[in-house]
Amino acid sequence: MSRKAYTAEERDAIRMNMLRRSAEVFAEKGLRETSLEDIYLPEGISKTFFYSFFPSKAALIIEMFHLQSEDMLGCFRTNVWNYGAENGLRTTLDDLLSGRWFIASFDDQTYIRTLLSDEEFAGFKNDRIVLFAEVLNLLGVPVSRLDPRVFYNMLMSIVWIGRTGKHSLPFLYGEAVDEAVDIQVDRLVELVSSLRVDAVQRRF
């Protein structure tokens, strides 16, 4: 049974705990198999109180992705600052491939789509465009030179294959996944390097 009153600080802590836990449980069980009880019971609160934070499972999922996006962008910004654009991209890709953040599987994506209205889904996809446009900006690549949607598709195809190709994609050769991913990363970094503003200016 939840207590009757919580301070604003306690509510903020509970909210953040549930968002962080959701990413961990989603990674372990998948979105479809994760129940709301998996998220709120460790906080010692009721389902009714959970809904005062998130009106639905879909709302929890979307906010979890927002939180991850902010963390990922902050990490990427730090990596670019510390290592430069190309090595910063490589370092962040290494973090993605190692499982630092939850990445939705193909089944997870299908499930998310069933939870979201057309308007919510369009907003969710637009948020991805904004995020990856900012990533390109940090890399020094104008969106006029590389569509953020194309960049997203290229980057995430590397991550999905790298994280699931050995076990969940039976028609791929699992023993060759790492080498294939290394080649794909090299090509993506080369493309980004060729499209950077300073790289284009050096040609003239």
Side-chain angles (χ1 to χ4, degrees):
M1 178 73 68
S2 299
R3 289 185 295 162
K4 296 298 183 182
Y6 288 83
T7 65
E9 291 77 13
E10 288 172 327
R11 285 185 60 89
D12 288 344
I14 290 171
R15 183 186 194 86
M16 189 59 66
N17 287 344
M18 289 194 291
L19 286 169
R20 288 174 175 157
R21 183 178 301 109
S22 66
E24 295 172 1
V25 180
F26 291 155
E28 177 185 346
K29 300 177 66 172
L31 293 176
R32 193 185 304 272
E33 298 303 320
T34 297
S35 68
L36 293 181
E37 287 80 4
D38 292 326
I39 307 302
Y40 69 76
L41 283 181
E43 293 303 311
I45 65 174
S46 67
K47 191 171 188 176
T48 300
F49 194 50
F50 167 86
Y51 283 126
S52 74
F53 294 95
F54 309 102
S56 65
K57 187 176 182 179
L60 169 68
I61 291 169
I62 290 174
E63 189 153 346
M64 182 274 298
F65 276 118
H66 282 318
L67 181 65
Q68 282 205 150
S69 294
E70 292 174 3
D71 183 53
M72 193 183 305
L73 190 60
C75 178
F76 182 72
R77 185 178 289 110
T78 299
N79 287 338
V80 169
W81 177 262
N82 289 335
Y83 309 119
E86 289 81 4
N87 288 331
L89 176 57
R90 287 183 185 277
T91 301
T92 307
L93 273 168
D94 285 344
D95 287 337
L96 281 162
L97 289 164
S98 70
R100 176 168 180 173
W101 297 285
F102 168 72
I103 300 295
S105 68
F106 297 110
D107 180 67
D108 288 333
Q109 293 176 54
T110 301
Y111 178 64
I112 292 171
R113 183 63 188 95
T114 67
L115 296 179
L116 302 180
S117 68
D118 290 344
E119 182 178 355
E120 289 171 326
F121 185 60
F124 179 80
K125 292 189 75 175
N126 187 66
D127 288 343
R128 303 291 92 189
I129 295 173
V130 172
L131 171 64
F132 279 82
E134 180 60 24
V135 170
L136 286 172
N137 180 61
L138 289 170
L139 289 169
V141 178
V143 295
S144 59
R145 294 192 179 130
L146 182 58
D147 188 325
R149 297 169 299 176
V150 174
F151 180 57
Y152 173 84
N153 284 350
M154 295 174 69
L155 188 147
M156 294 311 298
S157 66
I158 294 172
V159 174
W160 285 320
I161 291 173
R163 287 181 56 165
T164 65
K166 292 181 182 179
H167 311 290
S168 303
L169 300 172
F171 285 95
L172 289 185
Y173 295 96
E175 68 276 11
V177 162
D178 288 342
E179 184 176 353
V181 166
D182 287 344
I183 293 171
Q184 289 176 298
V185 169
D186 286 342
R187 296 300 174 267
L188 180 61
V189 172
E190 288 172 7
L191 173 65
V192 167
S193 298
S194 71
L195 296 175
R196 284 169 49 84
V197 172
D198 57 351
V200 173
Q201 288 174 341
R202 285 198 299 270
R203 296 175 189 168
F204 298 97

